[in-house]
Amino acid sequence: MRGWGMKKSFMERLAAFIVDKRRLFVVLFALLAGMTANAQAFQGKGSSQLSVGITSGFNTYNILGIQGNYDYGVADFISVGGQVNLLFDDDFKMYVGPRANFHLLNAITPSKTGPFDVYLSATMGVQFGGKTKFNGGGYLGASYDITSHIAVKLEVGSNVMAGVLFRL
């Protein structure tokens, strides 16, 4: 913990910036979702994807870290997989657990395809480091395909995650 007058590190300043701007991220996400609501990118049953990005932490917005996800399509609009968060605070923390996604556009308009995916995600798992504890959370997420195998991704909920998604 820093005392009065001590300079904040780059990571502390970046975390504060992200926390202050999370409402802006939500508004931009909602606008983008509304503009492209007729397109989807999730490829359904049998598809797999790996994503990596910067995260604000798990159930806290004052920690920065790295998040990785793997998802596998088990139905036309449902995918399951795993998630790992590496969190950098005063001490190192790691979250590991399963996740499940409900791909909204695939459920609503299954015959249309396009570059945009909107999904609801739920996760639960264990956080190690400091005090080991059970965590659970949920997200509203979106991805936009840049190419047929690469997309940009944003999730807002128990944490904020921005990253890159690779379709395998």
Side-chain angles (χ1 to χ4, degrees):
M1 196 173 216
R2 301 212 178 266
W4 291 97
M6 295 189 74
K7 190 174 181 178
K8 291 184 178 180
S9 71
F10 170 75
M11 293 300 278
E12 289 171 318
R13 289 189 310 242
L14 183 59
F17 174 80
I18 289 173
V19 169
D20 292 341
K21 304 303 180 213
R22 70 179 177 253
R23 287 188 186 126
L24 175 64
F25 287 133
V26 171
V27 170
L28 290 174
F29 173 79
L31 288 173
L32 185 59
M35 291 186 306
T36 59
N38 65 345
Q40 64 208 30
F42 177 65
Q43 298 169 354
K45 188 174 183 176
S47 65
S48 61
Q49 53 196 33
L50 179 69
S51 59
V52 178
I54 302 292
T55 184
S56 65
F58 197 82
N59 288 333
T60 180
Y61 290 102
N62 60 356
I63 301 173
L64 277 183
I66 298 169
Q67 178 174 317
N69 305 329
Y70 173 79
D71 294 306
Y72 180 79
V74 295
D76 288 339
F77 51 87
I78 297 174
S79 63
V80 296
Q83 176 174 318
V84 175
N85 291 27
L86 305 176
L87 307 171
F88 308 104
D89 195 6
D90 293 336
D91 58 342
F92 175 77
K93 294 182 177 85
M94 180 172 76
Y95 166 84
V96 178
R99 62 185 274 142
N101 302 308
F102 181 80
H103 299 268
L104 298 169
L105 298 179
N106 287 52
I108 296 168
T109 59
S111 62
K112 294 184 179 181
T113 60
F116 198 68
D117 182 26
V118 177
Y119 55 92
L120 296 172
S121 183
T123 185
M124 62 181 181
V126 179
Q127 181 174 310
F128 302 97
K131 183 178 171 183
T132 300
K133 61 184 179 178
F134 173 80
N135 270 328
Y139 311 98
L140 173 62
S143 65
Y144 184 80
D145 287 352
I146 297 171
T147 71
S148 61
H149 295 289
I150 300 174
V152 292
K153 173 179 181 172
L154 176 66
E155 291 181 346
V156 178
S158 299
N159 65 345
V160 175
M161 186 267 212
V164 179
L165 182 142
F166 303 96
R167 300 198 192 285
L168 307 176

